[in-house]
Amino acid sequence: RLFVGTWNVGGKSPHDGLNLKDWLRSPSPSDVYVLGFQEIVPLNAGNVLGPEDSGPATKWLSLIRQALTNLSGAAGDDGSKNPTKPRYRLMVSKQMVGIFLCVWVRADLNEHISNLKVSCVGRGIMGYLGNKKEGDEVRRNSDVCEILKKTRFNNHSYGDSLSPETILDHDNIVWLGDLNYRLATTHVETCELLERNDWEALLEKDQWQLKLEQKAGRIFSGWEEGSIHFAPTYKYLIDSDYYVAQACKSKDKLRIPAWCDRILWKGEALKQQWYIRGESKFSDHRPVSSSFVVNVRAKESNVKKKLVKSSSSCRKPSSRFCPTKSSPSTILPGVAKIQAEELLVIPATAGPRLSFCRPVH
């Protein structure tokens, strides 16, 4: 099981008491957590041109570690209660000014993860400052094309073939972040639809959902996104449930609400289970998360070990993964579950290649 989350935190450094439980919630703990942040530092000249400020990233990692430990019941690798031995390990993290990505893996799966690589492509002014102009979807589409074209991973021998060199060379890809697509509608019409909670009508105005560029074959051709059944994630008043558009009378500061924060994917091995937003009021964006079941192939030696373990486990009537006994389906309230059954995923060094992409906008 793969958990993917994205959150634009508006240049604010987290405080020690910030609770991430709402964002990281799921019916059961996942095997892998991929968490992406935008604007973990203010996007000013000092942060762009000066030395990188890693302080906020360190705080976020500490909060994530604490949250994941609590999700897993503070259990050690052997199942014993041991708060000093977290169940999840940080596999890789990377900061690029305000962009921050980290990947956490269940500790007992650590040995099966290999060939981790990171590649950065800067976009915007000077390759760092973002393109935030409302209505400038052409520039954002151009950024996507440049990221796909310029991202390179050093390849090496990977079984009988070479490891993937580009993003699209991977079998399965997840694209997450503040994509900054807006609503092609007026302020008045948007407010009316917001009052009625008519997300379906609003989505008809969404630049991504319109898929004009996608249909023309110019951007995100072949990519998928789950159905959206939640309110626009931007732009809120801080510590409030009200959008800026509902409270601001100045046209200069007006921001029409939109689903800026998105999670897309490409690949047959990825099966989305749910797609939701969190309700933390820490930022002017609401966090977004999604869960996937990923089918991967294991090396023969690992398969034998797992088969022996599974065979032994299935002798116990309470075994969760015993194929002769079905488990009740558990879902989040109000969330449509796309895949009903729960699969046992065996991560390994062989099998489909997986790539996580964070756009720099």
Side-chain angles (χ1 to χ4, degrees), residues 146-169:
E146 287 299 301
I147 291 170
L148 291 173
K149 182 173 69 174
K150 293 184 177 181
T151 301
R152 287 291 183 273
F153 303 98
N154 295 327
N155 56 15
H156 67 276
S157 179
Y158 187 75
D160 297 330
S161 60
L162 292 176
S163 60
E165 183 179 4
T166 70
I167 292 175
L168 294 179
D169 285 341

mmCIF file of all heavy atoms in Angstrom, residues 146-169:
data_model
loop_
_atom_site.group_PDB
_atom_site.id
_atom_site.type_symbol
_atom_site.label_atom_id
_atom_site.label_comp_id
_atom_site.label_asym_id
_atom_site.label_seq_id
_atom_site.Cartn_x
_atom_site.Cartn_y
_atom_site.Cartn_z
ATOM 1 N N GLU A 146 8.944 20.665 -19.730
ATOM 2 C CA GLU A 146 10.376 20.816 -19.481
ATOM 3 C C GLU A 146 10.860 19.856 -18.397
ATOM 4 O O GLU A 146 11.957 19.300 -18.487
ATOM 5 C CB GLU A 146 10.683 22.262 -19.083
ATOM 6 C CG GLU A 146 10.600 23.248 -20.231
ATOM 7 C CD GLU A 146 11.603 22.927 -21.326
ATOM 8 O OE1 GLU A 146 12.810 22.904 -21.035
ATOM 9 O OE2 GLU A 146 11.172 22.678 -22.468
ATOM 10 N N ILE A 147 10.048 19.665 -17.363
ATOM 11 C CA ILE A 147 10.424 18.732 -16.298
ATOM 12 C C ILE A 147 10.525 17.312 -16.848
ATOM 13 O O ILE A 147 11.477 16.577 -16.565
ATOM 14 C CB ILE A 147 9.402 18.797 -15.142
ATOM 15 C CG1 ILE A 147 9.513 20.143 -14.419
ATOM 16 C CG2 ILE A 147 9.623 17.654 -14.151
ATOM 17 C CD1 ILE A 147 8.401 20.398 -13.423
ATOM 18 N N LEU A 148 9.549 16.922 -17.651
ATOM 19 C CA LEU A 148 9.571 15.579 -18.236
ATOM 20 C C LEU A 148 10.752 15.403 -19.184
ATOM 21 O O LEU A 148 11.346 14.325 -19.268
ATOM 22 C CB LEU A 148 8.261 15.317 -18.983
ATOM 23 C CG LEU A 148 7.003 15.166 -18.118
ATOM 24 C CD1 LEU A 148 5.762 15.080 -18.994
ATOM 25 C CD2 LEU A 148 7.103 13.937 -17.222
ATOM 26 N N LYS A 149 11.108 16.471 -19.878
ATOM 27 C CA LYS A 149 12.179 16.379 -20.869
ATOM 28 C C LYS A 149 13.568 16.420 -20.239
ATOM 29 O O LYS A 149 14.479 15.703 -20.666
ATOM 30 C CB LYS A 149 12.041 17.525 -21.879
ATOM 31 C CG LYS A 149 13.091 17.502 -22.988
ATOM 32 C CD LYS A 149 12.804 18.549 -24.047
ATOM 33 C CE LYS A 149 13.006 19.950 -23.507
ATOM 34 N NZ LYS A 149 12.858 20.981 -24.577
ATOM 35 N N LYS A 150 13.744 17.236 -19.203
ATOM 36 C CA LYS A 150 15.083 17.478 -18.668
ATOM 37 C C LYS A 150 15.472 16.588 -17.490
ATOM 38 O O LYS A 150 16.652 16.489 -17.158
ATOM 39 C CB LYS A 150 15.209 18.947 -18.251
ATOM 40 C CG LYS A 150 15.169 19.913 -19.430
ATOM 41 C CD LYS A 150 15.396 21.344 -18.968
ATOM 42 C CE LYS A 150 15.430 22.308 -20.152
ATOM 43 N NZ LYS A 150 15.669 23.709 -19.717
ATOM 44 N N THR A 151 14.512 15.977 -16.833
ATOM 45 C CA THR A 151 14.849 15.127 -15.689
ATOM 46 C C THR A 151 15.616 13.896 -16.161
ATOM 47 O O THR A 151 15.167 13.175 -17.056
ATOM 48 C CB THR A 151 13.582 14.682 -14.942
ATOM 49 O OG1 THR A 151 12.870 15.839 -14.496
ATOM 50 C CG2 THR A 151 13.945 13.823 -13.737
ATOM 51 N N ARG A 152 16.762 13.660 -15.548
ATOM 52 C CA ARG A 152 17.598 12.514 -15.903
ATOM 53 C C ARG A 152 18.088 11.806 -14.642
ATOM 54 O O ARG A 152 18.475 12.435 -13.669
ATOM 55 C CB ARG A 152 18.811 12.960 -16.728
ATOM 56 C CG ARG A 152 18.481 13.367 -18.156
ATOM 57 C CD ARG A 152 18.052 12.157 -18.980
ATOM 58 N NE ARG A 152 17.785 12.486 -20.372
ATOM 59 C CZ ARG A 152 16.621 12.917 -20.831
ATOM 60 N NH1 ARG A 152 15.611 13.087 -19.988
ATOM 61 N NH2 ARG A 152 16.455 13.180 -22.114
ATOM 62 N N PHE A 153 18.042 10.469 -14.683
ATOM 63 C CA PHE A 153 18.576 9.641 -13.607
ATOM 64 C C PHE A 153 19.744 8.836 -14.166
ATOM 65 O O PHE A 153 19.638 8.262 -15.255
ATOM 66 C CB PHE A 153 17.504 8.680 -13.076
ATOM 67 C CG PHE A 153 16.256 9.358 -12.595
ATOM 68 C CD1 PHE A 153 15.134 9.445 -13.413
ATOM 69 C CD2 PHE A 153 16.191 9.916 -11.330
ATOM 70 C CE1 PHE A 153 13.973 10.061 -12.981
ATOM 71 C CE2 PHE A 153 15.037 10.543 -10.883
ATOM 72 C CZ PHE A 153 13.927 10.617 -11.714
ATOM 73 N N ASN A 154 20.851 8.804 -13.442
ATOM 74 C CA ASN A 154 21.997 8.012 -13.882
ATOM 75 C C ASN A 154 21.602 6.541 -13.912
ATOM 76 O O ASN A 154 21.241 5.963 -12.886
ATOM 77 C CB ASN A 154 23.184 8.212 -12.937
ATOM 78 C CG ASN A 154 23.704 9.633 -12.975
ATOM 79 O OD1 ASN A 154 23.663 10.288 -14.022
ATOM 80 N ND2 ASN A 154 24.187 10.124 -11.844
ATOM 81 N N ASN A 155 21.645 5.947 -15.103
ATOM 82 C CA ASN A 155 21.216 4.549 -15.188
ATOM 83 C C ASN A 155 22.384 3.596 -14.996
ATOM 84 O O ASN A 155 23.542 3.940 -15.187
ATOM 85 C CB ASN A 155 20.503 4.270 -16.517
ATOM 86 C CG ASN A 155 21.351 4.623 -17.719
ATOM 87 O OD1 ASN A 155 22.545 4.820 -17.595
ATOM 88 N ND2 ASN A 155 20.731 4.715 -18.879
ATOM 89 N N HIS A 156 22.054 2.383 -14.580
ATOM 90 C CA HIS A 156 23.041 1.334 -14.403
ATOM 91 C C HIS A 156 22.359 -0.003 -14.650
ATOM 92 O O HIS A 156 21.155 -0.074 -14.877
ATOM 93 C CB HIS A 156 23.645 1.384 -12.987
ATOM 94 C CG HIS A 156 22.676 1.037 -11.912
ATOM 95 N ND1 HIS A 156 21.813 1.960 -11.366
ATOM 96 C CD2 HIS A 156 22.411 -0.137 -11.280
ATOM 97 C CE1 HIS A 156 21.067 1.379 -10.441
ATOM 98 N NE2 HIS A 156 21.407 0.110 -10.369
ATOM 99 N N SER A 157 23.131 -1.065 -14.612
ATOM 100 C CA SER A 157 22.582 -2.390 -14.864
ATOM 101 C C SER A 157 21.524 -2.723 -13.828
ATOM 102 O O SER A 157 21.733 -2.590 -12.620
ATOM 103 C CB SER A 157 23.700 -3.434 -14.824
ATOM 104 O OG SER A 157 23.177 -4.715 -15.049
ATOM 105 N N TYR A 158 20.352 -3.166 -14.311
ATOM 106 C CA TYR A 158 19.212 -3.460 -13.440
ATOM 107 C C TYR A 158 18.635 -4.792 -13.897
ATOM 108 O O TYR A 158 17.747 -4.855 -14.734
ATOM 109 C CB TYR A 158 18.178 -2.346 -13.572
ATOM 110 C CG TYR A 158 17.019 -2.426 -12.610
ATOM 111 C CD1 TYR A 158 17.177 -2.080 -11.277
ATOM 112 C CD2 TYR A 158 15.751 -2.823 -13.043
ATOM 113 C CE1 TYR A 158 16.112 -2.127 -10.398
ATOM 114 C CE2 TYR A 158 14.682 -2.880 -12.168
ATOM 115 C CZ TYR A 158 14.869 -2.530 -10.847
ATOM 116 O OH TYR A 158 13.806 -2.583 -9.974
ATOM 117 N N GLY A 159 19.200 -5.887 -13.364
ATOM 118 C CA GLY A 159 18.800 -7.208 -13.834
ATOM 119 C C GLY A 159 19.331 -7.422 -15.238
ATOM 120 O O GLY A 159 20.528 -7.321 -15.495
ATOM 121 N N ASP A 160 18.430 -7.686 -16.172
ATOM 122 C CA ASP A 160 18.820 -7.907 -17.559
ATOM 123 C C ASP A 160 18.762 -6.633 -18.392
ATOM 124 O O ASP A 160 18.972 -6.664 -19.600
ATOM 125 C CB ASP A 160 17.903 -8.964 -18.200
ATOM 126 C CG ASP A 160 18.038 -10.320 -17.512
ATOM 127 O OD1 ASP A 160 19.138 -10.604 -17.010
ATOM 128 O OD2 ASP A 160 17.044 -11.063 -17.485
ATOM 129 N N SER A 161 18.451 -5.505 -17.770
ATOM 130 C CA SER A 161 18.332 -4.258 -18.517
ATOM 131 C C SER A 161 18.905 -3.105 -17.704
ATOM 132 O O SER A 161 19.362 -3.282 -16.579
ATOM 133 C CB SER A 161 16.861 -3.990 -18.860
ATOM 134 O OG SER A 161 16.097 -3.878 -17.674
ATOM 135 N N LEU A 162 18.869 -1.909 -18.296
ATOM 136 C CA LEU A 162 19.337 -0.721 -17.605
ATOM 137 C C LEU A 162 18.201 -0.100 -16.806
ATOM 138 O O LEU A 162 17.025 -0.225 -17.160
ATOM 139 C CB LEU A 162 19.879 0.294 -18.615
ATOM 140 C CG LEU A 162 21.171 -0.079 -19.344
ATOM 141 C CD1 LEU A 162 21.506 0.996 -20.368
ATOM 142 C CD2 LEU A 162 22.322 -0.255 -18.364
ATOM 143 N N SER A 163 18.546 0.584 -15.730
ATOM 144 C CA SER A 163 17.533 1.277 -14.932
ATOM 145 C C SER A 163 16.986 2.454 -15.737
ATOM 146 O O SER A 163 17.637 2.957 -16.654
ATOM 147 C CB SER A 163 18.152 1.769 -13.624
ATOM 148 O OG SER A 163 19.219 2.660 -13.884
ATOM 149 N N PRO A 164 15.783 2.923 -15.419
ATOM 150 C CA PRO A 164 15.163 4.022 -16.179
ATOM 151 C C PRO A 164 16.004 5.292 -16.123
ATOM 152 O O PRO A 164 16.551 5.641 -15.081
ATOM 153 C CB PRO A 164 13.823 4.219 -15.470
ATOM 154 C CG PRO A 164 13.560 2.936 -14.763
ATOM 155 C CD PRO A 164 14.897 2.414 -14.359
ATOM 156 N N GLU A 165 16.067 5.992 -17.245
ATOM 157 C CA GLU A 165 16.847 7.223 -17.314
ATOM 158 C C GLU A 165 15.973 8.464 -17.192
ATOM 159 O O GLU A 165 16.404 9.485 -16.662
ATOM 160 C CB GLU A 165 17.619 7.275 -18.634
ATOM 161 C CG GLU A 165 18.524 8.492 -18.762
ATOM 162 C CD GLU A 165 19.288 8.520 -20.068
ATOM 163 O OE1 GLU A 165 19.059 7.623 -20.909
ATOM 164 O OE2 GLU A 165 20.111 9.429 -20.253
ATOM 165 N N THR A 166 14.738 8.401 -17.669
ATOM 166 C CA THR A 166 13.834 9.546 -17.609
ATOM 167 C C THR A 166 12.600 9.192 -16.779
ATOM 168 O O THR A 166 12.384 8.030 -16.420
ATOM 169 C CB THR A 166 13.382 9.967 -19.018
ATOM 170 O OG1 THR A 166 12.506 8.961 -19.555
ATOM 171 C CG2 THR A 166 14.573 10.144 -19.945
ATOM 172 N N ILE A 167 11.781 10.194 -16.499
ATOM 173 C CA ILE A 167 10.552 9.961 -15.737
ATOM 174 C C ILE A 167 9.643 8.984 -16.470
ATOM 175 O O ILE A 167 9.148 8.006 -15.904
ATOM 176 C CB ILE A 167 9.814 11.291 -15.486
ATOM 177 C CG1 ILE A 167 10.617 12.167 -14.520
ATOM 178 C CG2 ILE A 167 8.413 11.036 -14.924
ATOM 179 C CD1 ILE A 167 10.018 13.548 -14.302
ATOM 180 N N LEU A 168 9.427 9.232 -17.761
ATOM 181 C CA LEU A 168 8.493 8.414 -18.525
ATOM 182 C C LEU A 168 9.038 7.030 -18.854
ATOM 183 O O LEU A 168 8.296 6.185 -19.370
ATOM 184 C CB LEU A 168 8.084 9.145 -19.808
ATOM 185 C CG LEU A 168 7.277 10.430 -19.588
ATOM 186 C CD1 LEU A 168 6.947 11.097 -20.919
ATOM 187 C CD2 LEU A 168 5.996 10.149 -18.808
ATOM 188 N N ASP A 169 10.317 6.779 -18.566
ATOM 189 C CA ASP A 169 10.864 5.431 -18.736
ATOM 190 C C ASP A 169 10.379 4.493 -17.632
ATOM 191 O O ASP A 169 10.482 3.270 -17.762
ATOM 192 C CB ASP A 169 12.397 5.460 -18.712
ATOM 193 C CG ASP A 169 12.986 6.002 -20.005
ATOM 194 O OD1 ASP A 169 12.258 6.018 -21.018
ATOM 195 O OD2 ASP A 169 14.164 6.411 -19.998
#
